[in-house]
Amino acid sequence: MLARSGLVLLAVWLGASPALAEDFFVRNQDEYAGALKQVEAGDVIILANGEWLDFDLVITGKGRADAPITVTPEEVGKVFLTGQSNLRIGGEYILVKGLVFKDGYSPRGEVVSFRRTKNDQARNSRVTEVVIDNFSKPDRYESDYWVGIYGSGNRFDHNHMVGKTNKGVTLAVRLDSEESRENDHLIDHNYFGPRPVLGSNGGETLRIGTSRYSMHRSETTVENNIFDRTDGEVEIISSKSGGNVFRGNVFLKSRGTLTLRHGDDNIVERNIFMGGGKDYTGGIRVINRGQTIRDNYIEGMRGTAFSSALAIMNGVPNSPVNRYVEVEGATIEGNTIIDSRRIGFNVGADDERSAPPSNSTFANNLLGGIEGESFLEVYDDVSGIAFANNRVVEGGVADSLDSFTKAPVEMERADNGLLYPVDPALASLGAPRDLTPVTLDQVGVSWYAKPGSGSVFGASGTVTTVEPGEGTLVAAAMAAKDGDVLLLSSGEYIANRTIPLDKAITIKGAYEEGADAPSILFTRPTLIELREGGNLQLESVIIDGALAPDSVGNSAIRTTTYPIKSNMQIEMNRVTVRGLVVNKSFNVLTLGKSSLADRVSIKNSAFSDITGAVVSAAAETEDFGQYNVEYLDITDSTFAEIGGPIVNVYRGGRDESTFGPFVTFTGNAIAGTGLAATNTSGASINLHGVQTANLDRNVVAASAPFRIVHTVGTPKTSITSNQFAETPDLVLEELNYEGAHRAQLSDNVFAEGNDK
Ligand code: CA
């Protein structure tokens, strides 16, 4: 190791012998800056192990193919860029490897940028074995890219990216300058790990180009990457340019699709999509001219419409660049699509998207839907597609696809984990036998763990018994570690301060035969405040508002007023909440601005004498298509004398990039609810812009009506087998759709006394 003076001496010595490549070992940003002034082709700058805080790491220069300029850690996995850090690369033949970005975020528009400045874009450079772990801007709606690739001939490979929670594409290839088109970039063997639902547009994992430059060819190859639970929005990959190749990538339980959104002549081949039966999983969405979709394997998809296993869209005649160019000259052959909910032709057909596919072929595909469900659907004219030798093994087929052979085929799983027909005579159908899915140990880096999939609750295995009394619960909650369980016995627990929750904890009553559940009282306006990292599970406890003070915006549980990056989970089972009456709008749970719950789940619980809402998820009122809860499930619970709506969910705007919110409200009993003068919605259930709602088997007495407002897209509302007495009729509105309300209603009983 060299001292600071040693670095200077080394530089002088290098000046005397410029032909010799040399290592610059640097221990701080000043030493780095000194080394940067000296580097030449073949030189290596070595960053000392440890934390590099607030580091604007810039590298540029002229390397050569046989002698790149390299930035590397002393040891891989032991150099951390934290705080407000980022990497910018200019010049040519630069190699950067082995860095970890964590505990911070980029102060710029990118974490890793293949340009130093607008006029110094990287060429023939490579970033490999770099980790970007939860390096998201704090405000989920402040946008950046984690990786921006500019210039030409660059490679981005074996990198690990997990947990982008703020708006903006994880990896964007930019074509906004002449030299960045026909770029021949290679993006390979990366691990695109879980990206949570963003709850707005801008949650794509990979985007190549933009509509503005989509007439240009990018010629980027995306190969052998894994996309694991990349759920951000409806597009996992948004290809917005021509001449790209997507080959051999594996998509695991990822919502959305690989979308050929703009640009022509792209190839999508030998990719593997495994949906695992998860909601909204999809495969490939086809738009534009000259697209080739061949030899792909797609299994276990549950998406429909835009997120079907395969969606071939209708286009707009003479489409402007930002709309939908018609499908022309598509070749779709040799694909297996099995155990999937939908394949759609002419998807999106409407007055504007009126141009069906033309001059296209669809051949040798092996297709299987779900037993008893419709599968292959046609929404317009398919006469411009030549169909040949397609086999459907399961699921309903639209009449206009009468050339398809419909017959079961015996399938077996081969050594590569994929299903193939047993009968050798059917070998020409579907995906090829020689697919070899890239595996998790072949992507990203070996020295940084890939995230598992366990529940956040109880994960630590630690159970702590908490005795009744004043302050005991607060002390235990603050001392608890992520994943701990706090076990309460019968008796009163009084909280004299709000519990700040920045971890996953379970608060659970120890169930004893004949004993009362423990009751929790609180003397502050809020019992629990959810902060960054907070997740809450309540079980077999009573929350009683008797000691709460009168304060504006009282809520037993609420999110902090600061933005929260990570999506949270809130669960209640066998919970009683009562007596939140000290003022006129006391909520049980309030989700505030810039927070998103992945799931709020309430079951077997009882709520009574509450002046406000039970779940308020209506803070994103700017109509940007943002919202506060993805899944809200309330089942088998009772609600009596609730002043506000039980559920208040708001998602405004016309954006179509999200799947949620998704609301289930079934098997509940409701009485005297939604009638407070302060309830401006006038409803007991108030759903605005919810994409999927199931309201089933509820018994409703002397309450305000259910109110469902549909906004964009094709919302699915099902209201079935409910009983309403002394409750006004359903209030159903459509904001953008002309025609009768699209809610499916059946078997609802309206007793006399309803105000029709
Ligand atoms: Ca999008």
Side-chain angles (χ1 to χ4, degrees):
M1 297 211 303
L2 290 165
R4 187 170 166 71
S5 55
L7 175 72
V8 174
L9 288 174
L10 175 65
V12 168
W13 177 78
L14 276 172
S17 309
L20 284 178
E22 197 50 65
D23 289 354
F24 293 82
F25 183 89
V26 298
R27 277 166 301 176
N28 57 49
Q29 294 189 36
D30 284 344
E31 289 185 9
Y32 181 84
L36 182 61
K37 289 190 186 120
Q38 316 287 335
V39 286
E40 297 182 347
D43 290 350
V44 180
I45 303 179
I46 301 166
L47 305 181
N49 286 352
E51 181 176 347
W52 293 68
L53 180 68
D54 299 341
F55 190 11
D56 178 22
L57 173 51
V58 178
I59 180 74
T60 188
K62 280 194 186 307
R64 294 193 310 268
D66 61 342
I69 295 170
T70 301
V71 177
T72 190
E74 183 181 353
E75 293 173 81
V76 289
K78 293 189 177 172
V79 168
F80 302 98
L81 280 77
T82 61
Q84 308 240 317
S85 293
N86 60 277
L87 166 64
R88 290 184 283 148
I89 304 168
E92 57 187 348
Y93 296 105
I94 306 285
L95 168 62
V96 178
K97 67 179 289 190
L99 307 176
V100 177
F101 289 89
K102 59 181 277 197
D103 300 330
Y105 58 93
S106 170
R108 296 171 175 270
E110 285 130 351
V111 179
V112 173
S113 180
F114 282 77
R115 69 176 187 186
R116 183 178 62 90
T117 63
K118 213 167 177 355
N119 296 319
D120 185 13
Q121 305 195 0
R123 291 184 308 280
N124 300 315
S125 293
R126 180 179 177 200
V127 171
T128 188
E129 294 190 65
V130 164
V131 171
I132 307 178
D133 181 2
N134 286 279
F135 209 67
S136 299
K137 289 200 194 309
D139 184 336
R140 64 189 304 121
Y141 297 122
E142 191 183 342
S143 183
D144 68 0
Y145 306 143
W146 272 9
V147 182
I149 304 186
Y150 303 80
S152 63
N154 295 314
R155 184 178 181 201
F156 185 79
D157 67 286
H158 294 90
N159 300 291
H160 170 118
M161 290 145 286
V162 169
K164 189 171 199 292
T165 50
N166 67 313
K167 189 168 183 154
V169 182
T170 307
L171 189 165
V173 175
R174 301 302 311 273
L175 306 183
D176 55 355
S177 66
E178 197 98 10
E179 62 263 44
S180 60
R181 298 168 196 154
E182 299 178 29
N183 53 54
D184 201 27
H185 297 318
L186 177 60
I187 299 167
D188 67 288
H189 294 93
N190 297 290
Y191 177 66
F192 293 97
R195 173 154 194 187
V197 171
L198 178 62
S200 112
N201 191 11
E204 304 88 349
T205 293
L206 173 60
R207 194 188 71 208
I208 304 178
T210 55
S211 60
R212 187 167 167 195
Y213 302 105
S214 60
M215 71 295 292
H216 296 287
R217 291 175 67 84
S218 183
E219 297 179 3
T220 297
T221 298
V222 178
E223 193 170 69
N224 296 325
N225 301 282
I226 290 184
F227 297 81
D228 179 12
R229 293 165 278 168
T230 48
D231 292 341
E233 61 141 281
V234 298
E235 296 168 315
I236 304 167
I237 295 178
S238 187
S239 182
K240 295 186 167 178
S241 50
N244 298 310
V245 177
F246 302 90
R247 180 189 299 123
N249 302 288
V250 172
F251 299 78
L252 302 173
K253 294 184 179 171
S254 292
R255 291 163 54 140
T257 62
L258 190 173
T259 303
L260 300 175
R261 183 65 187 84
H262 299 298
D264 302 334
D265 302 326
N266 296 288
I267 296 173
V268 180
E269 63 182 4
R270 302 176 67 86
N271 300 285
I272 292 156
F273 297 76
M274 302 297 266
K278 181 168 134 177
D279 286 355
Y280 307 114
T281 44
I284 303 162
R285 184 154 66 102
V286 184
I287 308 157
N288 307 288
R289 306 180 193 91
Q291 314 286 29
T292 300
I293 318 297
R294 67 184 169 216
D295 299 341
N296 298 285
Y297 182 93
I298 302 176
E299 180 181 346
M301 299 295 152
R302 291 297 176 269
T304 60
F306 282 21
S307 64
S308 298
L310 179 62
I312 296 141
M313 288 196 64
N314 255 22
V316 176
N318 303 311
S319 177
V321 289
N322 65 345
R323 293 302 294 161
Y324 290 82
V325 172
E326 54 207 272
V327 172
E328 197 262 312
T331 302
I332 302 170
E333 58 187 24
N335 302 288
T336 295
I337 300 176
I338 199 87
D339 181 29
S340 291
R341 178 154 282 147
R342 181 78 72 246
I343 292 174
F345 294 92
N346 318 98
V347 170
D350 59 17
D351 289 347
E352 184 207 18
R353 286 180 293 228
S354 61
S358 61
N359 189 29
S360 296
T361 60
F362 190 95
N364 303 320
N365 298 294
L366 179 61
L367 310 169
I370 297 169
E371 187 182 356
E373 293 191 16
S374 62
F375 172 42
L376 282 149
E377 295 212 337
V378 172
Y379 306 105
D380 194 358
D381 176 15
V382 287
S383 62
I385 304 175
F387 294 105
N389 192 31
N390 296 294
R391 177 83 168 238
V392 180
V393 302
E394 190 74 78
V397 180
D399 292 343
S400 48
L401 303 177
D402 52 9
S403 71
F404 286 46
T405 307
K406 283 164 268 182
V409 170
E410 191 188 346
M411 309 272 282
E412 66 180 3
R413 221 168 267 286
D415 289 343
N416 63 4
L418 311 180
L419 291 166
Y420 292 93
V422 172
D423 182 354
L426 299 175
S428 67
L429 273 176
R433 284 264 173 185
D434 64 350
L435 291 180
T436 44
V438 65
T439 56
L440 284 166
D441 61 346
Q442 293 170 331
V443 298
V445 296
S446 58
W447 42 265
Y448 205 90
K450 296 180 174 74
S453 57
S455 168
V456 296
F457 297 115
S460 71
T462 302
V463 178
T464 305
T465 302
V466 185
E467 296 302 326
E470 200 164 317
T472 54
L473 177 60
V474 173
M478 295 188 54
K481 299 266 189 314
D482 194 45
D484 283 5
V485 175
L486 305 181
L487 197 60
L488 279 51
S489 44
S490 291
E492 269 188 5
Y493 293 77
I494 297 174
N496 281 327
R497 60 160 294 181
T498 297
I499 298 170
L501 191 63
D502 57 1
K503 57 211 160 199
I505 65 167
T506 300
I507 301 175
K508 184 175 174 177
Y511 183 80
E512 294 163 48
E513 195 83 40
D516 291 332
S519 50
I520 304 170
L521 296 100
F522 50 105
T523 65
R524 301 298 303 151
T526 291
L527 170 63
I528 295 172
E529 182 180 279
L530 290 153
R531 298 184 178 178
E532 188 65 55
N535 294 282
L536 177 65
Q537 185 178 49
L538 296 172
E539 194 172 316
S540 303
V541 296
I542 297 166
I543 295 176
D544 189 323
L547 301 181
D550 178 3
S551 169
V552 173
N554 277 22
S555 188
I557 306 162
R558 65 175 315 128
T559 54
T560 165
T561 51
Y562 298 101
I564 300 178
K565 292 191 291 184
S566 46
N567 297 358
M568 54 204 145
Q569 296 178 44
I570 299 149
E571 296 182 9
M572 299 187 203
N573 185 19
R574 294 193 301 274
V575 171
T576 296
V577 183
R578 66 191 182 201
L580 307 185
V581 293
V582 70
N583 59 24
K584 289 193 164 74
S585 56
F586 200 153
N587 292 347
V588 177
L589 170 63
T590 307
L591 301 173
K593 274 197 77 58
S594 282
S595 70
L596 178 66
D598 263 340
R599 189 176 289 273
V600 173
S601 168
I602 298 173
K603 58 188 178 185
N604 309 311
S605 293
F607 300 81
S608 60
D609 299 310
I610 292 163
T611 55
V614 175
V615 178
S616 175
E620 303 291 356
T621 53
E622 283 128 345
D623 291 352
F624 295 150
Q626 301 164 354
Y627 51 98
N628 294 121
V629 64
E630 187 68 11
Y631 288 92
L632 171 59
D633 307 326
I634 301 181
T635 56
D636 303 320
S637 295
T638 63
F639 302 87
E641 307 299 324
I642 313 294
I646 296 166
V647 171
N648 192 21
V649 178
Y650 187 91
R651 183 214 187 268
R654 302 197 61 160
D655 179 77
E656 293 186 60
S657 307
T658 69
F659 294 113
F662 190 115
V663 174
T664 300
F665 191 83
T666 60
N668 302 295
I670 303 169
T673 285
L675 303 172
T678 47
N679 178 9
T680 52
S681 73
S684 57
I685 300 288
N686 189 36
L687 306 181
H688 181 107
V690 167
Q691 292 299 301
T692 306
N694 293 307
L695 309 167
D696 181 44
R697 292 179 291 105
N698 301 291
V699 177
V700 185
S703 292
F706 290 3
R707 177 170 179 265
I708 304 4
V709 180
H710 282 172
T711 59
V712 288
T714 50
K716 293 184 182 64
T717 296
S718 157
I719 305 176
T720 54
S721 305
N722 299 285
Q723 297 175 40
F724 298 91
E726 297 176 72
T727 297
D729 203 353
L730 304 164
V731 178
L732 305 174
E733 296 172 30
E734 291 278 357
L735 289 192
N736 298 322
Y737 174 79
E738 294 185 10
H741 198 276
R742 291 169 287 177
Q744 307 274 330
L745 309 179
S746 70
D747 302 316
N748 298 296
V749 177
F750 294 86
E752 278 186 49
N754 278 3
D755 178 17
K756 292 276 179 174

